[in-house]
Amino acid sequence: MKVLALAALLPALALAAQPQARRVSTLLVSMDPASEASSVQMEGYMNEALAHFAGMTVRKSEDLFGMPEDPGARASLERGRKGYSESLAAFDKKEYDEAERKVRATLKELQGAAGAMRGCSPLCDALALYAAVLHLRGEVEEAKLALIDLIALSPTHELSPKRFTREFLSLRVQVATSRTSQLRGTATVNSRPSGARVFVDGEAVGYTPVTLPALTIGKHLLRVERPGFRQHGQIMEVATDDTELTARLVPTSSYKAYDAKLDRVAGEVNRAGEKASGVAAMLQSLGLDRALVGTLRAQGEGTELTLGYYDARTGQRLAGRRMSVQGDEFGQLKQEMERVVNHLVNSLGEKVTKSRDPLDNRGGMEDWSSEDRGGRGKAQDRKKNDGDPLDGVSGTEDW
C-alpha cells in the first residue's frame, strides 16, 4: 500500500521540482526623436529571439505597460451597431425615410468608433444601406460616392440580392470597374511618440512615420498602436492629393511610472558598469527576473545601440554589446537583432530550444584542419585500412 502511495506521489514531486521559468523582456530607451521610430520594432524582434531559449517566459511591452482600447471608441461602436440594426429594420419594412435618417446618424456615430473596430462591420454594412437608400430616392451620384467609400474599405464586401435591387447591385459593379475606383492616393501617418505600429483596414503596414503610396481613394480604417499607450483609431479619407495626419497617443499610468525612471537607467546602460541599481529597481518593479536593456541614439544614417543583459535581483550586467544598426531597408533588421540576442544570452550558457536556421551554430568548416589539405576529415583519419591501397589518399599529396 505504501509503495502505491509513493508511486502516486512521484509525478507530483517531479512537477514541483521543475524550476520556474525566468521572466524576461527587452526595454529600449530612445535618446533622441530620430531613434524613437525604430525602438518598438527592435524590441519586438529581440523578444521573439528571447522566446527561443529554454526556461524563459517573455513578457512583451504590451504585457508590461498595457495597450488599452479607447473606451469612447468602444461606446461609439456599440451605439453604431444598435443604430445599424434599427436602420436595417426600417429598410426591410420599406420605411425608407426612417431608414435614411437612422443610417445617417449611425454613420456619424461610427466616425468615432474606428479604434474599436477589427473589421469594417458595421461601417461597411451601414455604407451599403445608405447607398441603397440614396439609389432608391434617385440620388445616383450620391449613391456612387457612398459605394466608392465601401469599395475602398472592403472591395469584396458582399451585398445580399434578397435585400437590394438588381439595379443597385449593377450600380455597385459599375462603380467598382469605373475609372474613379482605379485612382490612388498617398497617405503619410505620423504619431507622437513615433514608432507606433500602423494598421490600415486591419492589415499591418509599418511603423510611424510611414508613407503609404498607393491607397484606393475613399475611406479607410486607420489604427495606431504603441505599447504603453491607448490605441488610436480614426477613419482616414484618402484623395488624389497627398494626405498627412498625426495620431497623438495617450500614455498609460504604468508607462508614465516607467518613463520617470528612464534618465537614470539610460545613464547606467551607457556607462556599462558591472552593476546598475537603477536598472535593478526598474526591472523589479516590472516583475522581471532578467532583461535586455539598451539605449538608442541616431548616428548618421543609422542608429547606435548600447545593450546590456541584466539580472534584476542584483543589477549585475551579465553581458553587453555596442553596435551600429543601419535600419530595415532590406528587411535585415530582424536577423540582426536575433544575432545580437543570441550572442549575449549564449555567452551565459543558455540553451536555444527552437531555431529556424538548419545551420545554426555551424560555420561549415568544423572538420577542416591546418594540415588537412586533401579534404580528409577526422573521421577518415580514424578509419581503419580495409585493404584498399588508395584508402585515405586524395591524389593531391605531391602537388
Side-chain angles (χ1 to χ4, degrees):
M1 190 68 178
K2 291 182 179 179
V3 174
L4 290 175
L6 181 59
L9 187 60
L10 285 176
L13 291 174
L15 289 173
Q18 291 180 354
Q20 185 177 2
R22 186 179 291 141
R23 294 164 299 183
V24 299
S25 188
T26 304
L27 301 167
L28 299 180
V29 183
S30 303
M31 305 302 292
D32 49 60
S35 63
E36 192 174 53
S38 58
S39 60
V40 174
Q41 188 176 12
M42 291 170 67
E43 281 181 354
Y45 290 155
M46 289 186 185
N47 281 333
E48 287 182 27
L50 285 173
H52 295 158
F53 287 86
M56 290 188 177
T57 298
V58 178
R59 299 201 64 198
K60 299 178 181 179
S61 299
E62 51 263 41
D63 301 326
L64 298 174
F65 309 118
M67 195 166 60
E69 192 178 75
D70 185 348
R74 171 56 60 182
S76 292
L77 179 59
E78 294 305 320
R79 290 192 294 268
R81 284 173 174 163
K82 181 180 179 182
Y84 171 69
S85 296
E86 295 174 353
S87 305
L88 185 61
F91 184 85
D92 289 341
K93 294 177 183 177
K94 297 184 173 21
E95 299 173 356
Y96 299 128
D97 289 341
E98 181 68 7
E100 182 180 358
R101 184 181 66 81
K102 287 184 176 296
V103 77
R104 281 181 181 273
T106 298
L107 289 171
K108 185 176 181 180
E109 190 67 65
L110 290 175
Q111 288 285 332
M117 279 192 267
R118 293 299 178 266
C120 74
S121 179
L123 179 58
C124 287
D125 299 316
L127 279 169
L129 191 65
Y130 181 53
V133 171
L134 292 173
H135 184 255
L136 286 170
R137 291 183 53 180
E139 298 179 12
V140 178
E141 294 305 315
E142 292 296 321
K144 286 181 179 180
L145 293 177
L147 286 172
I148 286 173
D149 288 336
L150 173 63
I151 292 166
L153 282 164
S154 179
T156 59
H157 186 76
E158 294 185 7
L159 299 179
S160 172
K162 294 182 179 180
R163 172 166 292 129
F164 301 112
T165 65
R166 183 180 300 178
E167 292 77 15
F168 178 67
L169 297 176
S170 298
L171 182 66
R172 155 73 183 274
V173 174
Q174 178 186 336
V175 171
T177 56
S178 67
R179 182 178 178 182
T180 303
S181 291
Q182 309 308 314
L183 296 175
R184 297 291 183 268
T186 297
T188 299
V189 182
N190 303 294
S191 69
R192 298 288 181 271
S194 59
R197 197 170 192 185
V198 178
F199 297 82
V200 174
D201 299 332
E203 293 187 10
V205 295
Y207 295 81
T208 57
V210 61
T211 298
L212 310 171
L215 288 175
T216 308
I217 64 165
K219 288 183 169 59
H220 292 272
L221 282 174
L222 173 70
R223 190 170 82 252
V224 180
E225 296 180 350
R226 196 181 200 276
F229 295 81
R230 182 187 297 169
Q231 297 178 38
H232 173 89
Q234 66 184 83
I235 296 177
M236 177 173 62
E237 188 79 35
V238 175
T240 52
D241 296 331
D242 293 345
T243 301
E244 184 171 359
L245 50 89
T246 300
R248 288 174 172 79
L249 306 179
V250 179
T252 63
S253 56
S254 299
Y255 189 86
K256 287 180 180 178
Y258 162 76
D259 188 55
K261 304 172 184 177
L262 292 186
D263 286 342
R264 179 183 177 186
V265 167
E268 291 180 344
V269 171
N270 287 330
R271 285 192 294 272
E274 290 187 4
K275 288 194 175 182
S277 58
V279 172
M282 182 186 71
L283 299 186
Q284 290 171 21
S285 70
L286 295 174
L288 297 172
D289 298 312
R290 286 186 180 177
L292 290 164
V293 185
T295 61
L296 296 171
R297 189 187 304 275
Q299 186 183 57
E301 296 183 358
T303 303
E304 183 186 66
L305 169 63
T306 303
L307 191 64
Y309 187 38
Y310 291 90
D311 180 82
R313 184 175 58 85
T314 63
Q316 183 180 359
R317 187 174 184 264
L318 305 173
R321 187 171 177 182
R322 181 170 294 176
M323 59 185 293
S324 180
V325 181
Q326 295 303 316
D328 199 27
E329 184 179 358
F330 303 105
Q332 78 282 5
L333 183 61
K334 184 173 184 178
Q335 293 179 346
E336 196 170 357
M337 293 301 99
E338 186 171 338
R339 281 194 295 269
V340 71
V341 170
N342 289 343
H343 170 77
L344 293 178
V345 182
N346 278 330
S347 66
L348 304 176
E350 303 286 0
K351 294 182 179 179
V352 177
T353 57
K354 295 177 289 184
S355 177
R356 293 166 295 177
D357 185 358
L359 298 179
D360 192 28
N361 297 322
R362 293 185 60 84
M365 298 182 293
E366 287 77 7
D367 297 329
W368 291 19
S369 68
S370 59
E371 297 179 356
D372 182 14
R373 303 301 183 186
R376 295 185 303 168
K378 295 179 181 178
Q380 290 174 301
D381 291 337
R382 293 192 298 266
K383 190 172 66 173
K384 294 180 180 180
N385 191 310
D386 293 328
D388 184 354
L390 296 179
D391 185 36
V393 179
S394 69
T396 61
E397 288 78 7
D398 298 329
W399 287 16

